[in-house]
Amino acid sequence: MKARFLPPRENYLGNLLWNKSEFNNVKSRIEISLEKLREIGYWVSPFAEGDGIIFYIYDEAIKKSNKEMLDDFRAAFDWVDIENSKSKNSNLELAELEDEDRMLDCIVIIPLEKIFIQKTLVLGKYTFYCRKDFDEEPYERLTNFEGEYLQFEVSLNYRDLLKLNQSIDHNDYVINKCLSLAEHAMDIVRFAHSSFVSREFTPNPAGQMDNGFYSVNIIPLGKTHLKPLELGGISKPFSVSNNWLGPQVDDFFVPGIDYLSFIYSNDVENEMAKAVISALRSCRQSFYSIGDESQFLNLIFVLDGLTDPEWTGWKHRTYIASLLSNGDANLFGRKLEEYDRLYTDVRNKLVHGGKEFYELSEQSSTASETIYGYIKDVIELIAQIPINTFEEMKNYAIALLQTQNFKDEYTSIINRVSISRGKQFRVIQW
């Protein structure tokens, strides 16, 4: 068992600090050691949180040097390996003593910009607070933010919290971690309300203020000496801001939204849930991309990542289209032709032909919105059936593609498109 000794200094009392979990079952031994110290003139008191004690010598007649006090503590706590502190900061000392994997439940509050919420909304573990002017219970707000903000509970690493406000780099690390968690909630907002055709309906990234700073409030819960923390800084050197107004969010009534709230609350955990989380994160990156080509191509990659196709050419296209068909052969045919056109005439020309969107007949916004719609359709399919693994997804698609209606549809389309491109028609088999 180890402990750290911090002698009294200036306006601070002394501390003996240790790992709470290691000392939980030795309270009687701690009390015996404290009595030994009291007998020689120390005032000592255990922390209510259980991770150390506070001490001082009030009698000027028996004042001692730091070394003498350390010797007294080593004698009283002869069953503990007591080291002199490496710093003058008790939180930093505790951080070195704490287990790397100890977590602390916290409330995290993130301000939201370029979004309009008139009534506080709850979705799963997330609460989207309206701006204060509209709040019917402003006294219940846990922050001074006047505008909209997001609030949720999460477990954060205790050592990370103890090290806060000691360096800009570490503060930025914790800020960015909280922002990443908040962006899961904003991914749901973008899923329900944002569009590549109307980019003005895209909220600012979570926590990003108008001045380029990022802000995060953390309220520790449970038994801890840590107080609520207000963190702020330029934690990201580059940012993208909406130059317009952002979306008005009055509700989340769109297909698949309950499923998203379940996976982000960890109520659904499987292979497809992880793929959906990854897909929406990548869609977020497309929304904030300032390049039309990278925006579109990233969405193409997202669709492949979400569906995990094993095939190329027409087998790849028919597989994707079957997932977008809702079991309808006619809809499957329309999706197949549309997707093949976007893949051949847009994706391939951007990737292999060195083209840019201004050189193509397709508008970048409509092309991106179409692929984003495909991604949303697949997510809705996953939620509706539901689909838990990529194997289940492929079995579902192949079962449709093996029906006569689907076979007739893709055979006719492949034949017609191949002839129009001067290519030889080849029958595919599922």
Side-chain angles (χ1 to χ4, degrees), residues 90-99 158-159 162-163:
S90 59
N91 281 349
L92 289 180
E93 299 298 327
L94 281 172
E96 290 199 11
L97 293 166
E98 275 299 336
D99 299 328
Y158 189 51
R159 294 180 69 179
L162 289 169
K163 294 178 183 178

Side-chain angles (χ1 to χ4, degrees), residues 69 73 99 149 243 269 282 288 324:
M69 287 187 286
F73 271 78
D99 299 328
Y149 65 88
N243 294 322
E269 296 183 88
S282 295
Y288 298 119
L324 309 174

Side-chain angles (χ1 to χ4, degrees), residues 203-242:
N204 269 15
Q208 180 178 299
M209 312 299 286
D210 286 338
N211 59 4
F213 277 70
Y214 287 84
S215 183
V216 171
N217 286 6
I218 300 174
I219 303 175
L221 302 174
K223 214 167 187 180
T224 176
H225 69 284
L226 293 175
K227 306 302 181 187
L229 298 151
E230 295 183 9
L231 305 177
I234 306 177
S235 62
K236 300 181 180 182
F238 294 95
S239 60
V240 178
S241 179
N242 187 340

Side-chain angles (χ1 to χ4, degrees), residues 20 68 96 101 109 117 144 152 168 235 249 257 283 303 345 371 382 393 399:
K20 176 182 176 179
E68 289 172 328
E96 290 199 11
D101 56 354
I109 297 174
I117 303 176
N144 293 323
F152 57 96
I168 292 175
S235 62
V249 179
I257 209 72
C283 288
L303 183 59
D345 297 337
I371 301 299
I382 293 168
M393 175 179 284

Side-chain angles (χ1 to χ4, degrees), residues 118-120 122 127 129-143 145 149 151:
Q118 299 183 82
K119 183 178 180 180
T120 296
V122 178
T127 301
Y129 277 85
C130 63
R131 56 187 58 187
K132 193 172 182 179
D133 292 345
F134 299 125
D135 200 337
E136 297 177 356
E137 299 179 320
Y139 45 84
E140 295 291 341
R141 297 166 80 95
L142 300 179
T143 180
F145 295 138
Y149 65 88
Q151 181 174 308

Side-chain angles (χ1 to χ4, degrees), residues 338-381:
E338 183 180 55
Y339 179 56
D340 174 68
R341 178 180 60 79
L342 287 172
Y343 207 91
T344 302
D345 297 337
V346 180
R347 184 266 185 198
N348 286 350
K349 289 181 179 179
L350 293 176
V351 174
H352 304 298
K355 300 291 186 180
E356 298 186 38
F357 261 109
Y358 77 87
E359 300 176 272
L360 306 178
S361 59
E362 190 79 24
Q363 291 290 322
S364 64
S365 57
T366 55
S368 291
E369 182 66 13
T370 299
I371 301 299
Y372 185 50
Y374 292 169
I375 294 167
K376 293 167 72 173
D377 287 343
V378 173
I379 292 174
E380 290 167 18
L381 176 69

Side-chain angles (χ1 to χ4, degrees), residues 322-341:
S322 68
L323 296 173
L324 309 174
S325 70
N326 200 27
D328 184 320
N330 291 326
L331 179 59
F332 161 76
R334 294 195 296 273
K335 294 290 186 181
L336 177 58
E337 287 200 73
E338 183 180 55
Y339 179 56
D340 174 68
R341 178 180 60 79

